[in-house]
Amino acid sequence: MMVWGALAGCNQPASDLVQGYVEGEYVYVASPYGGALAALSVRRGVQVNAGDPLFALEQASEKAARDEAERKLSQARANLEDRRKGKRPSELASLRAQLQQAQAALQLSLREVARQEALTVVPGAAVEVEVDRARSVRDQNQQRVSQLEADLNTALLGSRTDQVAAAEAEVRAKEAALAKAEWDLAQKHQVAPKAGFVFDTLYREGEWVPAGRPVVVLLPPDHIKVRTFVSQMKLGTIKLGDSVQVMVDGVQGSIDGKVGYISPKAEYTPPVLYSQGSRDKLVFLVEVLFEQTAAVNLHPGQPVDVQFKGSQ
């Protein structure tokens, strides 16, 4: 009762002022993977810029997975190059030597056939079986030359088209696996997503951090707003974008803001707010937003007085 009496005795604000309070929407920075906290780069109460390091978790397994993915990608690329190439130089040289031998044998067999056929016109100089044998050897040598020429052409072509396509697909799969491994490794280092105030740090170095649990809590200036509640009668005079002046105890002058949200739903007056001049029990939530340079002077939980100035 003494508290209420003291409040009733306070100076009354101007009739166009409504009470409110500062609220912050915090950014909880976490890693999607668990691990021991290896390094905490910030402490609560400091300001950070976007991109500043916040913390790092141990990353031995992620580094090993990234290295393995790199090696598998190198292997897949080497296989693709091998598929695109023909035989090795030494194998091609062996095929060319065999072809030259077969061509030489074919030339000899051609001369032998010609000689045996010439002898057939000389009585008693040649028999039919010798001519047939020479012709058979010639035909075999011709087929051997054709076979080796085909083998050499095939060796120069490399693998079939579908085999090369399969090797290319394997390279793309290994590249995707490496990108995933590098992303996993990067998630063990977290940086500030935007500039702000380090509101709190929730773990100490050496502690185990479960996956998805926040380690650092940030409060960016553009996440600070004022919440107030206005009566139904006053609601009709307020529009989105209207200029607002906010007065804070102990601060000279006022802080300029704009109406950023008007709740479409009525609710009962929160017990934390009171107004001796208000008789309405149903009120509407109104949120006031600020420029970043102005928001740094406001602190979550701070009571304020709000004056709506209307459109300007």
Side-chain angles (χ1 to χ4, degrees):
M1 295 302 294
M2 294 178 62
V3 174
W4 282 105
L7 291 174
C10 293
N11 294 329
Q12 298 298 321
S15 59
D16 60 345
L17 296 183
V18 292
Q19 293 180 326
Y21 60 93
V22 181
E23 184 176 83
E25 295 179 339
Y26 300 99
V27 176
Y28 296 87
V29 184
S31 170
Y33 301 105
L37 183 59
L40 182 62
S41 304
V42 296
R43 56 181 177 82
R44 63 180 181 177
V46 302
Q47 294 284 342
V48 294
N49 297 316
D52 286 351
L54 298 180
F55 67 89
L57 304 180
E58 59 83 19
Q59 51 195 347
S61 59
E62 285 75 16
K63 281 185 176 179
R66 189 273 312 275
D67 294 342
E68 180 183 6
E70 285 182 341
R71 290 190 292 270
K72 287 184 176 180
L73 176 59
S74 298
Q75 179 182 5
R77 286 173 173 169
N79 289 338
L80 174 60
E81 290 302 317
D82 182 67
R83 293 290 187 183
R84 287 172 173 169
K85 295 176 182 178
K87 296 279 187 180
R88 290 176 294 182
S90 58
E91 294 174 321
L92 293 175
S94 175
L95 285 174
R96 290 191 177 98
Q98 294 179 52
L99 177 60
Q100 291 174 356
Q101 292 175 2
Q103 290 172 340
L106 175 61
Q107 294 300 322
L108 179 62
S109 62
L110 288 173
R111 289 194 294 271
E112 179 64 19
V113 168
R115 190 176 67 83
Q116 291 294 337
E117 288 177 347
L119 291 175
T120 57
V121 298
V122 180
V127 294
E128 185 177 355
V129 65
E130 294 297 332
V131 175
D132 292 340
R133 182 178 294 108
R135 289 173 177 172
S136 176
V137 172
R138 177 201 61 190
D139 294 341
Q140 291 178 19
N141 289 335
Q142 286 178 336
Q143 295 298 324
R144 178 61 177 168
V145 168
S146 298
Q147 176 188 355
L148 290 173
E149 287 177 344
D151 290 345
L152 181 59
N153 291 332
T154 301
L156 292 171
L157 290 176
S159 299
R160 295 192 300 271
T161 304
D162 53 348
Q163 292 178 324
V164 174
E168 291 174 343
E170 183 180 4
V171 168
R172 291 192 294 269
K174 299 303 182 184
E175 289 174 344
L178 177 58
K180 175 62 167 56
E182 290 177 339
W183 184 87
D184 291 344
L185 179 59
Q187 294 310 301
K188 287 301 189 78
H189 294 82
Q190 291 295 321
V191 300
K194 57 197 316 183
F197 173 78
V198 179
F199 180 79
D200 202 0
T201 57
L202 306 180
Y203 288 89
R204 292 183 293 270
E205 291 182 355
E207 291 183 328
W208 179 265
V209 181
R213 292 293 297 272
V215 177
V216 176
V217 183
L218 294 179
L219 180 58
D222 57 346
H223 286 207
I224 297 176
K225 59 188 177 182
V226 163
R227 305 184 77 193
T228 187
F229 294 82
V230 300
S231 65
Q232 181 179 356
M233 295 182 62
K234 192 172 183 60
L235 182 67
T237 65
I238 302 173
K239 300 186 298 298
L240 287 176
D242 281 358
S243 296
V244 178
Q245 287 185 335
V246 175
M247 279 67 72
V248 182
D249 293 342
V251 177
Q252 294 292 331
S254 61
I255 301 174
D256 295 330
K258 290 184 180 297
V259 176
Y261 173 75
I262 301 175
S263 174
K265 182 179 179 181
E267 53 191 290
Y268 285 103
T269 306
V272 71
L273 296 180
Y274 51 87
S275 174
Q276 296 296 326
S278 175
R279 296 295 183 266
D280 295 335
K281 291 185 177 180
L282 289 178
V283 292
F284 291 80
L285 169 66
V286 176
E287 293 182 350
V288 181
L289 305 179
F290 304 89
E291 297 290 339
Q292 293 191 25
T293 54
V296 295
N297 298 317
L298 299 172
H299 306 281
Q302 194 174 30
V304 297
D305 291 322
V306 180
Q307 184 177 30
F308 296 93
K309 306 297 289 184
S311 301
Q312 293 184 358

